[in-house]
Amino acid sequence: MPRLDPIKNIVVVMMENRSFDHLLGCLSLPEKGRADVDGLRTDAAWLNEHANLDQERTFVPFPSLNPYTMPGAFDPPHERANVAANLGPLQSGVYPMKGFVSGIPATVAADPEVRRLVMSYFAAAQAPVNEFFASNFAICDRWFSALPAGTQPNRLMSMSGFSKIEVNQTPLPDQELVYDWLNAHQITWRVYHQGIPFFALMPKWIPQVLGDDHFRSFGRLEEDVLNNPPAALPRVIFVEPTYGDSPHLGRSTDDHAPAGISDGQEFLLQVYNAVTAGPDFWRQCVLIVDYDEHGGFYDHVSPPLITTAPPPGAAYAPFDSLGVRTPGYVISPFVRRGSVSHALFDHTSVLKFIGEKFGPGGSYSDLLDQRPVGSVSAALDFDQPINDPPAVPPLDGYLAQRPPAPAGATAPTPSTPLQQAFADALRHLQENGAGPDHPKFGPLIAALAAPPVPAQLNPISP
């Protein structure tokens, strides 16, 4: 375990529903020449080996030129059964990874030109912040979602090290979170959230989400970093985007399809600018960005066969492997510029890192000590600190091509358990005192009560 003394603050951002190949696989293509990255290739033999079949058609990875939106309501399903279909039956200890297109129900999309979007990937021009992070900091090409399952189980793994559930549901069951662990170890923490924070889905957290200083609006992060000495800021900070499945104002920024990735790119830029606003804070922090699961998008790497058993009292069958590979970024002075970590990580690697830094004996829990994945510390390098954060290239032209932001409030029809869970969370917030005058949630609640604004159609081709 490396000496972590130079690190004082850890910042964690979890985005939604994109695979490694979809966002970072382009790095290994000839135009980038990153032979150190296990990504996509374009030679005929590789494409033939990794092709997906669907309705007698063959689909291979292809570049998407549209980072702004997706057709209609295209959101590939990604619960446990769907991920099993993506992976395919285990063959000699390896998943074939050939069911990403064929696993999409016809009720989600019947048009082959829409279905094939799960095989798409973005290059630097479509994902400029990804490119900036990959060029200047560390990426991880062996980071897998913790479970071959959906959002809630993976977010519980990332924040607890275990999950009482295998599929999304409402309400989110009560279980100990890293927030409880940090409280027990007297480590300061805070959540900066753009919209409704994720763990408002767990009813016991509603009172703190409403009025406790552990939960602040995202707009205060840069101000807090700029105007406070690092020692006065929380040791562990969680930053949350606006979730597309939640009632929200303006754009969703979590990368959840059918939204494009441009709004998420802007959000990640804002997080980076906030973290680097205070030079002293930057010089002793580690910012980690990961994705909860792949969201149905293609990746060619078979997940490792690591078993995750249900905790006591949970009735689901054990998971036999990790989930699909997802992007992982470690953004800090304490990485080698433009590096790639090949260490095996999953979402519990963040908890292991927090435990190494702040836990008794450098441990988060006995359960995680037994899990055969590494700590994020394996991606760090203290030899040549990046004391002056690189400047991000301007995104004005890139962002100007987006469709107009939604007017008024967006309230997704609760057609999935996750959407229902967010709708229930908003109702719980209101039942516990959040009204139109609430400093954080009032504007959303007032907008939802206002007459709807007609949608402005601005179709963009796939």
Side-chain angles (χ1 to χ4, degrees), residues 173-218:
D174 183 14
Q175 65 179 65
E176 182 178 287
L177 300 178
V178 64
Y179 308 151
D180 301 292
W181 187 93
L182 292 165
N183 284 338
H185 293 84
Q186 299 183 322
I187 306 299
T188 54
W189 62 275
R190 184 173 293 140
V191 177
Y192 289 89
H193 54 98
Q194 275 194 328
I196 297 175
F198 191 84
F199 286 98
L201 277 58
M202 190 179 286
K204 80 166 189 178
W205 288 99
I206 291 289
Q208 292 198 53
V209 168
L210 279 172
D212 191 287
D213 195 47
H214 281 117
F215 291 85
R216 286 189 179 181
S217 295
F218 171 68

mmCIF file of all heavy atoms in Angstrom, residues 173-218:
data_model
loop_
_atom_site.group_PDB
_atom_site.id
_atom_site.type_symbol
_atom_site.label_atom_id
_atom_site.label_comp_id
_atom_site.label_asym_id
_atom_site.label_seq_id
_atom_site.Cartn_x
_atom_site.Cartn_y
_atom_site.Cartn_z
ATOM 1 N N PRO A 173 -33.954 -0.077 -0.299
ATOM 2 C CA PRO A 173 -33.941 -0.629 1.064
ATOM 3 C C PRO A 173 -32.873 0.017 1.932
ATOM 4 O O PRO A 173 -31.828 0.462 1.453
ATOM 5 C CB PRO A 173 -33.642 -2.109 0.835
ATOM 6 C CG PRO A 173 -32.928 -2.159 -0.469
ATOM 7 C CD PRO A 173 -33.522 -1.070 -1.301
ATOM 8 N N ASP A 174 -33.174 0.070 3.205
ATOM 9 C CA ASP A 174 -32.239 0.649 4.162
ATOM 10 C C ASP A 174 -31.047 -0.282 4.338
ATOM 11 O O ASP A 174 -31.206 -1.469 4.604
ATOM 12 C CB ASP A 174 -32.964 0.856 5.502
ATOM 13 C CG ASP A 174 -32.077 1.524 6.543
ATOM 14 O OD1 ASP A 174 -31.019 2.060 6.167
ATOM 15 O OD2 ASP A 174 -32.450 1.498 7.731
ATOM 16 N N GLN A 175 -29.863 0.223 4.137
ATOM 17 C CA GLN A 175 -28.639 -0.502 4.471
ATOM 18 C C GLN A 175 -27.553 0.525 4.757
ATOM 19 O O GLN A 175 -27.650 1.685 4.347
ATOM 20 C CB GLN A 175 -28.219 -1.452 3.352
ATOM 21 C CG GLN A 175 -27.830 -0.806 2.042
ATOM 22 C CD GLN A 175 -27.401 -1.840 1.008
ATOM 23 O OE1 GLN A 175 -28.186 -2.673 0.550
ATOM 24 N NE2 GLN A 175 -26.122 -1.804 0.638
ATOM 25 N N GLU A 176 -26.538 0.118 5.466
ATOM 26 C CA GLU A 176 -25.469 1.048 5.832
ATOM 27 C C GLU A 176 -24.755 1.535 4.590
ATOM 28 O O GLU A 176 -24.431 0.757 3.688
ATOM 29 C CB GLU A 176 -24.476 0.388 6.781
ATOM 30 C CG GLU A 176 -23.371 1.328 7.224
ATOM 31 C CD GLU A 176 -22.403 0.689 8.213
ATOM 32 O OE1 GLU A 176 -22.788 0.499 9.379
ATOM 33 O OE2 GLU A 176 -21.271 0.380 7.802
ATOM 34 N N LEU A 177 -24.491 2.832 4.533
ATOM 35 C CA LEU A 177 -23.763 3.451 3.436
ATOM 36 C C LEU A 177 -22.417 3.965 3.925
ATOM 37 O O LEU A 177 -22.158 4.044 5.126
ATOM 38 C CB LEU A 177 -24.569 4.614 2.846
ATOM 39 C CG LEU A 177 -25.954 4.296 2.274
ATOM 40 C CD1 LEU A 177 -26.618 5.586 1.785
ATOM 41 C CD2 LEU A 177 -25.868 3.281 1.152
ATOM 42 N N VAL A 178 -21.586 4.369 2.990
ATOM 43 C CA VAL A 178 -20.304 4.957 3.346
ATOM 44 C C VAL A 178 -20.500 6.215 4.188
ATOM 45 O O VAL A 178 -19.640 6.559 5.015
ATOM 46 C CB VAL A 178 -19.469 5.253 2.083
ATOM 47 C CG1 VAL A 178 -20.136 6.303 1.212
ATOM 48 C CG2 VAL A 178 -18.039 5.659 2.424
ATOM 49 N N TYR A 179 -21.640 6.903 4.041
ATOM 50 C CA TYR A 179 -21.922 8.042 4.904
ATOM 51 C C TYR A 179 -21.899 7.615 6.374
ATOM 52 O O TYR A 179 -21.332 8.316 7.232
ATOM 53 C CB TYR A 179 -23.293 8.646 4.604
ATOM 54 C CG TYR A 179 -23.579 8.994 3.164
ATOM 55 C CD1 TYR A 179 -24.897 8.974 2.684
ATOM 56 C CD2 TYR A 179 -22.574 9.372 2.267
ATOM 57 C CE1 TYR A 179 -25.194 9.304 1.373
ATOM 58 C CE2 TYR A 179 -22.861 9.694 0.957
ATOM 59 C CZ TYR A 179 -24.175 9.663 0.511
ATOM 60 O OH TYR A 179 -24.479 9.993 -0.784
ATOM 61 N N ASP A 180 -22.542 6.485 6.679
ATOM 62 C CA ASP A 180 -22.554 5.973 8.057
ATOM 63 C C ASP A 180 -21.145 5.614 8.509
ATOM 64 O O ASP A 180 -20.749 5.885 9.652
ATOM 65 C CB ASP A 180 -23.465 4.747 8.156
ATOM 66 C CG ASP A 180 -24.893 5.037 7.741
ATOM 67 O OD1 ASP A 180 -25.581 5.780 8.462
ATOM 68 O OD2 ASP A 180 -25.317 4.520 6.694
ATOM 69 N N TRP A 181 -20.388 4.986 7.608
ATOM 70 C CA TRP A 181 -19.007 4.584 7.933
ATOM 71 C C TRP A 181 -18.162 5.817 8.252
ATOM 72 O O TRP A 181 -17.393 5.826 9.229
ATOM 73 C CB TRP A 181 -18.416 3.808 6.762
ATOM 74 C CG TRP A 181 -17.075 3.192 6.997
ATOM 75 C CD1 TRP A 181 -16.810 1.924 7.426
ATOM 76 C CD2 TRP A 181 -15.792 3.816 6.800
ATOM 77 N NE1 TRP A 181 -15.453 1.712 7.511
ATOM 78 C CE2 TRP A 181 -14.807 2.857 7.124
ATOM 79 C CE3 TRP A 181 -15.385 5.079 6.380
ATOM 80 C CZ2 TRP A 181 -13.444 3.129 7.047
ATOM 81 C CZ3 TRP A 181 -14.033 5.358 6.308
ATOM 82 C CH2 TRP A 181 -13.078 4.397 6.635
ATOM 83 N N LEU A 182 -18.288 6.850 7.442
ATOM 84 C CA LEU A 182 -17.518 8.069 7.676
ATOM 85 C C LEU A 182 -17.918 8.726 9.000
ATOM 86 O O LEU A 182 -17.052 9.191 9.762
ATOM 87 C CB LEU A 182 -17.711 9.040 6.513
ATOM 88 C CG LEU A 182 -17.091 8.583 5.178
ATOM 89 C CD1 LEU A 182 -17.637 9.410 4.021
ATOM 90 C CD2 LEU A 182 -15.575 8.655 5.220
ATOM 91 N N ASN A 183 -19.211 8.750 9.287
ATOM 92 C CA ASN A 183 -19.657 9.289 10.582
ATOM 93 C C ASN A 183 -19.052 8.500 11.738
ATOM 94 O O ASN A 183 -18.577 9.082 12.727
ATOM 95 C CB ASN A 183 -21.182 9.252 10.670
ATOM 96 C CG ASN A 183 -21.857 10.342 9.855
ATOM 97 O OD1 ASN A 183 -21.244 11.367 9.539
ATOM 98 N ND2 ASN A 183 -23.113 10.127 9.507
ATOM 99 N N ALA A 184 -19.087 7.178 11.624
ATOM 100 C CA ALA A 184 -18.582 6.337 12.702
ATOM 101 C C ALA A 184 -17.093 6.546 12.939
ATOM 102 O O ALA A 184 -16.614 6.396 14.076
ATOM 103 C CB ALA A 184 -18.863 4.866 12.398
ATOM 104 N N HIS A 185 -16.359 6.901 11.872
ATOM 105 C CA HIS A 185 -14.913 7.095 11.991
ATOM 106 C C HIS A 185 -14.538 8.571 12.096
ATOM 107 O O HIS A 185 -13.362 8.923 11.989
ATOM 108 C CB HIS A 185 -14.195 6.435 10.810
ATOM 109 C CG HIS A 185 -14.292 4.936 10.820
ATOM 110 N ND1 HIS A 185 -15.371 4.248 10.299
ATOM 111 C CD2 HIS A 185 -13.460 3.983 11.316
ATOM 112 C CE1 HIS A 185 -15.197 2.953 10.453
ATOM 113 N NE2 HIS A 185 -14.044 2.767 11.071
ATOM 114 N N GLN A 186 -15.550 9.423 12.296
ATOM 115 C CA GLN A 186 -15.361 10.855 12.494
ATOM 116 C C GLN A 186 -14.569 11.495 11.354
ATOM 117 O O GLN A 186 -13.696 12.335 11.566
ATOM 118 C CB GLN A 186 -14.679 11.118 13.853
ATOM 119 C CG GLN A 186 -15.506 10.612 15.033
ATOM 120 C CD GLN A 186 -14.874 10.926 16.375
ATOM 121 O OE1 GLN A 186 -13.659 10.861 16.532
ATOM 122 N NE2 GLN A 186 -15.701 11.278 17.342
ATOM 123 N N ILE A 187 -14.929 11.087 10.127
ATOM 124 C CA ILE A 187 -14.345 11.659 8.920
ATOM 125 C C ILE A 187 -15.385 12.569 8.279
ATOM 126 O O ILE A 187 -16.512 12.146 8.006
ATOM 127 C CB ILE A 187 -13.928 10.555 7.923
ATOM 128 C CG1 ILE A 187 -13.000 9.533 8.606
ATOM 129 C CG2 ILE A 187 -13.281 11.168 6.689
ATOM 130 C CD1 ILE A 187 -11.719 10.105 9.139
ATOM 131 N N THR A 188 -15.032 13.805 8.040
ATOM 132 C CA THR A 188 -16.000 14.750 7.484
ATOM 133 C C THR A 188 -16.309 14.395 6.029
ATOM 134 O O THR A 188 -15.442 13.933 5.275
ATOM 135 C CB THR A 188 -15.467 16.189 7.565
ATOM 136 O OG1 THR A 188 -14.177 16.252 6.928
ATOM 137 C CG2 THR A 188 -15.332 16.633 9.014
ATOM 138 N N TRP A 189 -17.568 14.642 5.638
ATOM 139 C CA TRP A 189 -18.003 14.333 4.282
ATOM 140 C C TRP A 189 -19.141 15.255 3.881
ATOM 141 O O TRP A 189 -19.781 15.874 4.711
ATOM 142 C CB TRP A 189 -18.449 12.872 4.159
ATOM 143 C CG TRP A 189 -19.630 12.513 5.039
ATOM 144 C CD1 TRP A 189 -19.597 12.140 6.351
ATOM 145 C CD2 TRP A 189 -21.018 12.503 4.660
ATOM 146 N NE1 TRP A 189 -20.868 11.901 6.821
ATOM 147 C CE2 TRP A 189 -21.754 12.103 5.801
ATOM 148 C CE3 TRP A 189 -21.702 12.788 3.481
ATOM 149 C CZ2 TRP A 189 -23.152 11.991 5.786
ATOM 150 C CZ3 TRP A 189 -23.092 12.674 3.463
ATOM 151 C CH2 TRP A 189 -23.795 12.274 4.607
ATOM 152 N N ARG A 190 -19.349 15.304 2.568
ATOM 153 C CA ARG A 190 -20.463 16.104 2.062
ATOM 154 C C ARG A 190 -20.830 15.614 0.663
ATOM 155 O O ARG A 190 -19.974 15.126 -0.081
ATOM 156 C CB ARG A 190 -20.102 17.588 2.019
ATOM 157 C CG ARG A 190 -21.264 18.493 1.580
ATOM 158 C CD ARG A 190 -20.913 19.976 1.708
ATOM 159 N NE ARG A 190 -20.745 20.351 3.100
ATOM 160 C CZ ARG A 190 -19.811 21.173 3.554
ATOM 161 N NH1 ARG A 190 -18.934 21.697 2.701
ATOM 162 N NH2 ARG A 190 -19.730 21.468 4.827
ATOM 163 N N VAL A 191 -22.106 15.768 0.308
ATOM 164 C CA VAL A 191 -22.619 15.507 -1.024
ATOM 165 C C VAL A 191 -22.999 16.844 -1.655
ATOM 166 O O VAL A 191 -23.782 17.607 -1.079
ATOM 167 C CB VAL A 191 -23.849 14.584 -0.989
ATOM 168 C CG1 VAL A 191 -24.406 14.377 -2.397
ATOM 169 C CG2 VAL A 191 -23.522 13.251 -0.331
ATOM 170 N N TYR A 192 -22.427 17.145 -2.817
ATOM 171 C CA TYR A 192 -22.841 18.300 -3.612
ATOM 172 C C TYR A 192 -23.664 17.755 -4.787
ATOM 173 O O TYR A 192 -23.152 16.985 -5.605
ATOM 174 C CB TYR A 192 -21.631 19.075 -4.135
ATOM 175 C CG TYR A 192 -20.877 19.835 -3.068
ATOM 176 C CD1 TYR A 192 -19.842 19.238 -2.357
ATOM 177 C CD2 TYR A 192 -21.193 21.160 -2.782
ATOM 178 C CE1 TYR A 192 -19.139 19.941 -1.386
ATOM 179 C CE2 TYR A 192 -20.491 21.881 -1.814
ATOM 180 C CZ TYR A 192 -19.470 21.257 -1.119
ATOM 181 O OH TYR A 192 -18.774 21.963 -0.158
ATOM 182 N N HIS A 193 -24.932 18.135 -4.869
ATOM 183 C CA HIS A 193 -25.832 17.525 -5.842
ATOM 184 C C HIS A 193 -26.511 18.588 -6.691
ATOM 185 O O HIS A 193 -26.935 19.627 -6.200
ATOM 186 C CB HIS A 193 -26.882 16.658 -5.138
ATOM 187 C CG HIS A 193 -27.653 17.369 -4.067
ATOM 188 N ND1 HIS A 193 -28.903 17.910 -4.291
ATOM 189 C CD2 HIS A 193 -27.360 17.635 -2.756
ATOM 190 C CE1 HIS A 193 -29.347 18.461 -3.171
ATOM 191 N NE2 HIS A 193 -28.433 18.325 -2.225
ATOM 192 N N GLN A 194 -26.627 18.285 -8.012
ATOM 193 C CA GLN A 194 -27.312 19.206 -8.919
ATOM 194 C C GLN A 194 -28.818 19.132 -8.757
ATOM 195 O O GLN A 194 -29.508 20.148 -8.758
ATOM 196 C CB GLN A 194 -26.945 18.887 -10.365
ATOM 197 C CG GLN A 194 -25.666 19.524 -10.848
ATOM 198 C CD GLN A 194 -25.535 19.447 -12.362
ATOM 199 O OE1 GLN A 194 -25.999 18.497 -12.994
ATOM 200 N NE2 GLN A 194 -24.889 20.433 -12.951
ATOM 201 N N GLY A 195 -29.351 17.933 -8.700
ATOM 202 C CA GLY A 195 -30.789 17.740 -8.582
ATOM 203 C C GLY A 195 -31.105 16.962 -7.317
ATOM 204 O O GLY A 195 -30.535 17.216 -6.257
ATOM 205 N N ILE A 196 -32.024 16.013 -7.420
ATOM 206 C CA ILE A 196 -32.342 15.158 -6.286
ATOM 207 C C ILE A 196 -31.198 14.177 -6.093
ATOM 208 O O ILE A 196 -30.855 13.434 -7.017
ATOM 209 C CB ILE A 196 -33.664 14.409 -6.526
ATOM 210 C CG1 ILE A 196 -34.823 15.399 -6.638
ATOM 211 C CG2 ILE A 196 -33.930 13.401 -5.418
ATOM 212 C CD1 ILE A 196 -36.152 14.762 -6.997
ATOM 213 N N PRO A 197 -30.546 14.147 -4.922
ATOM 214 C CA PRO A 197 -29.438 13.212 -4.729
ATOM 215 C C PRO A 197 -29.930 11.778 -4.712
ATOM 216 O O PRO A 197 -31.066 11.493 -4.333
ATOM 217 C CB PRO A 197 -28.847 13.631 -3.383
ATOM 218 C CG PRO A 197 -29.953 14.332 -2.677
ATOM 219 C CD PRO A 197 -30.786 14.984 -3.736
ATOM 220 N N PHE A 198 -29.061 10.867 -5.115
ATOM 221 C CA PHE A 198 -29.494 9.491 -5.326
ATOM 222 C C PHE A 198 -30.066 8.854 -4.070
ATOM 223 O O PHE A 198 -31.056 8.125 -4.116
ATOM 224 C CB PHE A 198 -28.341 8.646 -5.869
ATOM 225 C CG PHE A 198 -28.794 7.299 -6.363
ATOM 226 C CD1 PHE A 198 -29.302 7.163 -7.640
ATOM 227 C CD2 PHE A 198 -28.742 6.179 -5.548
ATOM 228 C CE1 PHE A 198 -29.752 5.931 -8.099
ATOM 229 C CE2 PHE A 198 -29.187 4.955 -5.995
ATOM 230 C CZ PHE A 198 -29.691 4.830 -7.279
ATOM 231 N N PHE A 199 -29.457 9.116 -2.929
ATOM 232 C CA PHE A 199 -29.897 8.399 -1.738
ATOM 233 C C PHE A 199 -31.059 9.074 -1.020
ATOM 234 O O PHE A 199 -31.427 8.663 0.073
ATOM 235 C CB PHE A 199 -28.712 8.087 -0.829
ATOM 236 C CG PHE A 199 -27.890 6.961 -1.417
ATOM 237 C CD1 PHE A 199 -26.751 7.238 -2.146
ATOM 238 C CD2 PHE A 199 -28.318 5.664 -1.300
ATOM 239 C CE1 PHE A 199 -26.029 6.207 -2.737
ATOM 240 C CE2 PHE A 199 -27.618 4.628 -1.882
ATOM 241 C CZ PHE A 199 -26.467 4.893 -2.601
ATOM 242 N N ALA A 200 -31.701 10.036 -1.710
ATOM 243 C CA ALA A 200 -33.049 10.410 -1.310
ATOM 244 C C ALA A 200 -34.013 9.266 -1.607
ATOM 245 O O ALA A 200 -35.144 9.252 -1.098
ATOM 246 C CB ALA A 200 -33.491 11.673 -2.035
ATOM 247 N N LEU A 201 -33.570 8.303 -2.431
ATOM 248 C CA LEU A 201 -34.382 7.121 -2.706
ATOM 249 C C LEU A 201 -34.456 6.193 -1.492
ATOM 250 O O LEU A 201 -35.296 5.289 -1.455
ATOM 251 C CB LEU A 201 -33.820 6.343 -3.897
ATOM 252 C CG LEU A 201 -34.218 6.825 -5.303
ATOM 253 C CD1 LEU A 201 -33.816 8.262 -5.555
ATOM 254 C CD2 LEU A 201 -33.628 5.913 -6.367
ATOM 255 N N MET A 202 -33.560 6.382 -0.524
ATOM 256 C CA MET A 202 -33.567 5.612 0.717
ATOM 257 C C MET A 202 -34.210 6.503 1.784
ATOM 258 O O MET A 202 -33.609 7.467 2.247
ATOM 259 C CB MET A 202 -32.135 5.224 1.110
ATOM 260 C CG MET A 202 -32.029 4.221 2.242
ATOM 261 S SD MET A 202 -30.281 3.787 2.617
ATOM 262 C CE MET A 202 -29.891 2.738 1.197
ATOM 263 N N PRO A 203 -35.454 6.214 2.182
ATOM 264 C CA PRO A 203 -36.231 7.179 2.979
ATOM 265 C C PRO A 203 -35.541 7.693 4.231
ATOM 266 O O PRO A 203 -35.775 8.841 4.629
ATOM 267 C CB PRO A 203 -37.504 6.390 3.312
ATOM 268 C CG PRO A 203 -37.683 5.463 2.149
ATOM 269 C CD PRO A 203 -36.274 5.043 1.780
ATOM 270 N N LYS A 204 -34.680 6.915 4.853
ATOM 271 C CA LYS A 204 -34.085 7.390 6.106
ATOM 272 C C LYS A 204 -33.206 8.624 5.905
ATOM 273 O O LYS A 204 -32.938 9.356 6.860
ATOM 274 C CB LYS A 204 -33.287 6.275 6.775
ATOM 275 C CG LYS A 204 -31.899 6.033 6.225
ATOM 276 C CD LYS A 204 -31.076 5.160 7.145
ATOM 277 C CE LYS A 204 -29.618 5.083 6.737
ATOM 278 N NZ LYS A 204 -28.806 4.268 7.672
ATOM 279 N N TRP A 205 -32.761 8.871 4.656
ATOM 280 C CA TRP A 205 -31.876 10.001 4.398
ATOM 281 C C TRP A 205 -32.638 11.274 4.035
ATOM 282 O O TRP A 205 -32.028 12.346 3.898
ATOM 283 C CB TRP A 205 -30.863 9.657 3.297
ATOM 284 C CG TRP A 205 -29.835 8.681 3.783
ATOM 285 C CD1 TRP A 205 -29.811 7.336 3.579
ATOM 286 C CD2 TRP A 205 -28.714 8.975 4.611
ATOM 287 N NE1 TRP A 205 -28.736 6.769 4.216
ATOM 288 C CE2 TRP A 205 -28.047 7.758 4.860
ATOM 289 C CE3 TRP A 205 -28.202 10.153 5.165
ATOM 290 C CZ2 TRP A 205 -26.894 7.682 5.639
ATOM 291 C CZ3 TRP A 205 -27.054 10.079 5.947
ATOM 292 C CH2 TRP A 205 -26.416 8.853 6.171
ATOM 293 N N ILE A 206 -33.956 11.195 3.881
ATOM 294 C CA ILE A 206 -34.738 12.366 3.465
ATOM 295 C C ILE A 206 -34.529 13.564 4.393
ATOM 296 O O ILE A 206 -34.275 14.687 3.918
ATOM 297 C CB ILE A 206 -36.228 12.014 3.365
ATOM 298 C CG1 ILE A 206 -36.471 11.070 2.179
ATOM 299 C CG2 ILE A 206 -37.090 13.266 3.247
ATOM 300 C CD1 ILE A 206 -36.329 11.698 0.824
ATOM 301 N N PRO A 207 -34.614 13.423 5.730
ATOM 302 C CA PRO A 207 -34.427 14.612 6.583
ATOM 303 C C PRO A 207 -33.073 15.278 6.390
ATOM 304 O O PRO A 207 -32.984 16.522 6.373
ATOM 305 C CB PRO A 207 -34.590 14.052 8.000
ATOM 306 C CG PRO A 207 -35.457 12.846 7.825
ATOM 307 C CD PRO A 207 -35.019 12.246 6.527
ATOM 308 N N GLN A 208 -31.998 14.496 6.230
ATOM 309 C CA GLN A 208 -30.682 15.106 6.043
ATOM 310 C C GLN A 208 -30.554 15.732 4.658
ATOM 311 O O GLN A 208 -29.936 16.801 4.503
ATOM 312 C CB GLN A 208 -29.592 14.062 6.271
ATOM 313 C CG GLN A 208 -29.496 13.603 7.728
ATOM 314 C CD GLN A 208 -28.179 12.922 8.023
ATOM 315 O OE1 GLN A 208 -27.105 13.456 7.765
ATOM 316 N NE2 GLN A 208 -28.262 11.716 8.578
ATOM 317 N N VAL A 209 -31.122 15.087 3.645
ATOM 318 C CA VAL A 209 -31.091 15.675 2.306
ATOM 319 C C VAL A 209 -31.767 17.040 2.303
ATOM 320 O O VAL A 209 -31.313 17.989 1.656
ATOM 321 C CB VAL A 209 -31.766 14.718 1.297
ATOM 322 C CG1 VAL A 209 -32.010 15.421 -0.039
ATOM 323 C CG2 VAL A 209 -30.902 13.476 1.082
ATOM 324 N N LEU A 210 -32.836 17.176 3.080
ATOM 325 C CA LEU A 210 -33.589 18.428 3.111
ATOM 326 C C LEU A 210 -32.858 19.554 3.826
ATOM 327 O O LEU A 210 -32.848 20.689 3.343
ATOM 328 C CB LEU A 210 -34.946 18.199 3.789
ATOM 329 C CG LEU A 210 -36.036 17.585 2.916
ATOM 330 C CD1 LEU A 210 -37.243 17.227 3.765
ATOM 331 C CD2 LEU A 210 -36.423 18.554 1.808
ATOM 332 N N GLY A 211 -32.239 19.238 4.978
ATOM 333 C CA GLY A 211 -31.771 20.359 5.781
ATOM 334 C C GLY A 211 -30.410 20.227 6.407
ATOM 335 O O GLY A 211 -29.951 21.157 7.076
ATOM 336 N N ASP A 212 -29.729 19.109 6.208
ATOM 337 C CA ASP A 212 -28.450 18.895 6.856
ATOM 338 C C ASP A 212 -27.329 19.446 5.979
ATOM 339 O O ASP A 212 -27.386 19.369 4.751
ATOM 340 C CB ASP A 212 -28.256 17.389 7.089
ATOM 341 C CG ASP A 212 -27.082 17.086 7.991
ATOM 342 O OD1 ASP A 212 -25.925 17.231 7.533
ATOM 343 O OD2 ASP A 212 -27.309 16.691 9.137
ATOM 344 N N ASP A 213 -26.287 19.981 6.602
ATOM 345 C CA ASP A 213 -25.183 20.555 5.838
ATOM 346 C C ASP A 213 -24.348 19.503 5.116
ATOM 347 O O ASP A 213 -23.458 19.827 4.343
ATOM 348 C CB ASP A 213 -24.285 21.383 6.766
ATOM 349 C CG ASP A 213 -23.343 22.289 5.979
ATOM 350 O OD1 ASP A 213 -23.825 22.968 5.043
ATOM 351 O OD2 ASP A 213 -22.137 22.297 6.273
ATOM 352 N N HIS A 214 -24.632 18.213 5.364
ATOM 353 C CA HIS A 214 -23.962 17.174 4.595
ATOM 354 C C HIS A 214 -24.412 17.167 3.139
ATOM 355 O O HIS A 214 -23.756 16.538 2.295
ATOM 356 C CB HIS A 214 -24.242 15.792 5.210
ATOM 357 C CG HIS A 214 -23.402 15.490 6.403
ATOM 358 N ND1 HIS A 214 -23.922 15.291 7.659
ATOM 359 C CD2 HIS A 214 -22.056 15.362 6.543
ATOM 360 C CE1 HIS A 214 -22.952 15.044 8.512
ATOM 361 N NE2 HIS A 214 -21.806 15.082 7.860
ATOM 362 N N PHE A 215 -25.521 17.828 2.818
ATOM 363 C CA PHE A 215 -26.036 17.861 1.456
ATOM 364 C C PHE A 215 -26.180 19.315 1.019
ATOM 365 O O PHE A 215 -26.970 20.068 1.581
ATOM 366 C CB PHE A 215 -27.395 17.148 1.381
ATOM 367 C CG PHE A 215 -27.292 15.660 1.593
ATOM 368 C CD1 PHE A 215 -27.281 15.123 2.875
ATOM 369 C CD2 PHE A 215 -27.198 14.796 0.512
ATOM 370 C CE1 PHE A 215 -27.183 13.753 3.075
ATOM 371 C CE2 PHE A 215 -27.107 13.424 0.695
ATOM 372 C CZ PHE A 215 -27.094 12.900 1.986
ATOM 373 N N ARG A 216 -25.380 19.696 0.023
ATOM 374 C CA ARG A 216 -25.400 21.061 -0.495
ATOM 375 C C ARG A 216 -25.618 21.043 -1.998
ATOM 376 O O ARG A 216 -25.257 20.081 -2.686
ATOM 377 C CB ARG A 216 -24.083 21.783 -0.207
ATOM 378 C CG ARG A 216 -23.883 22.207 1.219
ATOM 379 C CD ARG A 216 -22.658 23.100 1.350
ATOM 380 N NE ARG A 216 -22.473 23.532 2.728
ATOM 381 C CZ ARG A 216 -21.495 24.334 3.134
ATOM 382 N NH1 ARG A 216 -20.604 24.795 2.251
ATOM 383 N NH2 ARG A 216 -21.385 24.685 4.407
ATOM 384 N N SER A 217 -26.135 22.136 -2.510
ATOM 385 C CA SER A 217 -26.299 22.282 -3.953
ATOM 386 C C SER A 217 -24.938 22.302 -4.638
ATOM 387 O O SER A 217 -23.963 22.875 -4.126
ATOM 388 C CB SER A 217 -27.056 23.566 -4.279
ATOM 389 O OG SER A 217 -28.372 23.517 -3.778
ATOM 390 N N PHE A 218 -24.883 21.698 -5.822
ATOM 391 C CA PHE A 218 -23.635 21.615 -6.573
ATOM 392 C C PHE A 218 -23.046 22.992 -6.851
ATOM 393 O O PHE A 218 -21.820 23.167 -6.877
ATOM 394 C CB PHE A 218 -23.882 20.868 -7.892
ATOM 395 C CG PHE A 218 -22.720 20.897 -8.836
ATOM 396 C CD1 PHE A 218 -21.548 20.222 -8.543
ATOM 397 C CD2 PHE A 218 -22.791 21.607 -10.031
ATOM 398 C CE1 PHE A 218 -20.464 20.249 -9.417
ATOM 399 C CE2 PHE A 218 -21.726 21.642 -10.906
ATOM 400 C CZ PHE A 218 -20.558 20.951 -10.599
#
